[in-house]
Every structure is written in C-alpha cells, then in structure tokens.
Amino acid sequence: MITKANLEEAEKIYKEHMEYDFPDDENPDYERYIKLTKEKKHNIYLYEKDNENVAYFITLEADNNILITHLAVMREHRSKGIGRVFLEDIKKYFMDKNIIIVEVEAEVRAKNEEELNIIRRRKKYYVNGGFKECENLKYILYDVDYDILSYSTQQQKIYKNIEMKEIIEKIYSKVGIKESKLKIEIV
C-alpha cells in the first residue's frame, strides 16, 4: 500500500535511509528537503507491505506528470522481490497521470566496473517494469549526469524528446530549480 508520508516520517526517511541509499551528490540538502516537504512542493511516499514500511519514493509533479527523483527499497527489505511489486503498485497508483518519469544515474558516472554494474541493474529494473529510456537526451542536474526513463500511463502516447525536456523543465521550475542547475539537451 502506498501512502503519503507526514513531516515526521519524511524526516525519518531522510535521516535513516536516504543518506545511505543514495550518493551524497544525489541527496538534496536536508534544509531544502524539509522546506519542500513543509511547502508541499514535493511528495514523499511510503510503501507498506505486511504492516511495515519497506520502501519509499519522492515525486515532483506538474500538469498531471510525475517525476520520481528518489526511489529505494529499505536496506533490510532488499533482495526479497519487493522492488518488482513496488514498481507495479506505483504505476497503478499514478494510472490517472499522463506520464511517470524517473532519473537514474548515467553510466558515465561509474568509477569502476562494480558501479557500472549497479547502474545497469537499476536501469534494467525500470526497463523490466515497462519504462522506456529516453535516448538522445543529455540530462544534468546539479552537475550530476542522469538518464531519463519514462512510463506512459496512456499507452498510446509516445513522448518526443522535446516534450520530455519541456515536462521536466516545468516540473523543476515549480520547485525553484534554475536553468543553471538543470541542463537538458537533445543530442
């Protein structure tokens, strides 16, 4: 079951999970994270299974489009098959939206073979879940390279790169991310 986290739960997610689940350069500043939470400019969701929180994700939204900025199964619940069901439940939860977009570290970020394999596994997780990689789209946020994958909840709709660029820019503008911090190029 997916539920929105309250402020106390959001603080706990950041302090107990995010700092361990994501590289430092992918984690938002704590004060900004709390400010966005209080102002309801981003949404933090918990995923519950058997009456226990087992995963979480953070979204930004604009014009009925969803951008997932962070998604993780909690460490103690990994390798139990939760991730696959979690992703399917996210798609069902947002089935009334136009598109679900996720950011995944770009392969160019890998410093070694182990990191490259982790990045490839993350991408494969989304691709196996029905997400499509947006090719020829260079995406840098706060000097971190990402690849963009998307899932159209309206299966007949195919988004062009220019549309993806406009959607992402609009979503980030709602939380005050300036062009100098977000660079999206169609290559």
Side-chain angles (χ1 to χ4, degrees):
M1 175 171 67
I2 295 173
T3 58
K4 278 190 183 177
N6 61 35
L7 182 60
E8 183 180 319
E9 292 166 327
E11 289 173 340
K12 184 177 179 180
I13 287 168
Y14 190 96
K15 291 177 180 176
E16 294 181 14
H17 300 285
M18 289 185 70
E19 292 178 340
Y20 305 100
D21 294 337
F22 298 95
D24 289 342
D25 60 358
E26 289 184 34
N27 269 327
D29 170 73
Y30 179 74
E31 298 304 320
R32 179 172 169 72
Y33 170 87
I34 293 301
K35 181 178 186 238
L36 291 175
T37 303
K38 286 179 179 176
E39 293 174 354
K40 298 183 183 335
K41 290 190 175 181
H42 70 189
N43 292 304
I44 302 159
Y45 294 90
L46 289 164
Y47 184 63
E48 184 181 299
K49 190 168 175 76
D50 300 325
N51 296 317
E52 185 177 6
N53 290 327
V54 297
Y56 64 92
F57 63 104
I58 301 172
T59 65
L60 299 171
E61 183 175 349
D63 296 337
N64 215 32
N65 301 304
I66 298 291
L67 172 66
I68 297 175
T69 61
H70 296 81
L71 180 146
V73 173
M74 295 172 183
R75 288 180 309 284
E76 60 273 16
H77 298 286
R78 292 183 185 153
S79 301
K80 298 178 182 177
I82 292 170
R84 203 169 29 259
V85 176
F86 178 36
L87 194 57
E88 286 305 311
D89 285 350
I90 289 171
K91 290 172 6 186
K92 288 176 193 167
Y93 189 83
F94 291 122
M95 66 189 224
D96 64 328
K97 303 299 181 188
N98 297 330
I99 191 168
I100 303 168
I101 303 165
V102 295
E103 303 170 335
V104 179
E105 305 102 315
E107 290 183 14
V108 298
R109 295 196 59 211
K111 295 179 185 89
N112 55 49
E113 195 68 29
E114 181 182 349
E115 286 183 10
L116 182 60
N117 288 332
I118 290 169
I119 291 169
R120 287 180 175 161
R121 272 198 328 266
R122 286 185 183 135
K123 276 190 195 174
K124 187 177 179 185
Y125 166 73
Y126 290 108
V127 170
N128 288 345
F131 284 72
K132 307 268 187 262
E133 188 167 358
C134 299
E135 297 178 7
N136 304 317
L137 199 63
K138 186 176 180 182
Y139 181 89
I140 302 170
L141 178 63
Y142 286 105
D143 298 321
V144 177
D145 290 280
Y146 291 97
D147 287 330
I148 297 299
L149 292 95
S150 66
Y151 177 82
S152 175
T153 55
Q154 336 277 288
Q155 289 300 323
Q156 71 278 9
K157 173 71 172 156
I158 297 179
Y159 289 84
K160 296 177 183 168
N161 282 346
I162 189 70
E163 293 171 297
M164 293 299 293
K165 180 180 186 296
E166 290 169 358
I167 290 168
I168 294 166
E169 287 172 341
K170 184 161 193 175
I171 287 171
Y172 272 118
S173 72
K174 290 185 83 174
V175 293
I177 303 291
K178 307 275 188 252
E179 284 182 24
S180 63
K181 302 295 180 194
L182 174 67
K183 296 177 182 94
I184 305 173
E185 297 175 15
I186 299 169
V187 292

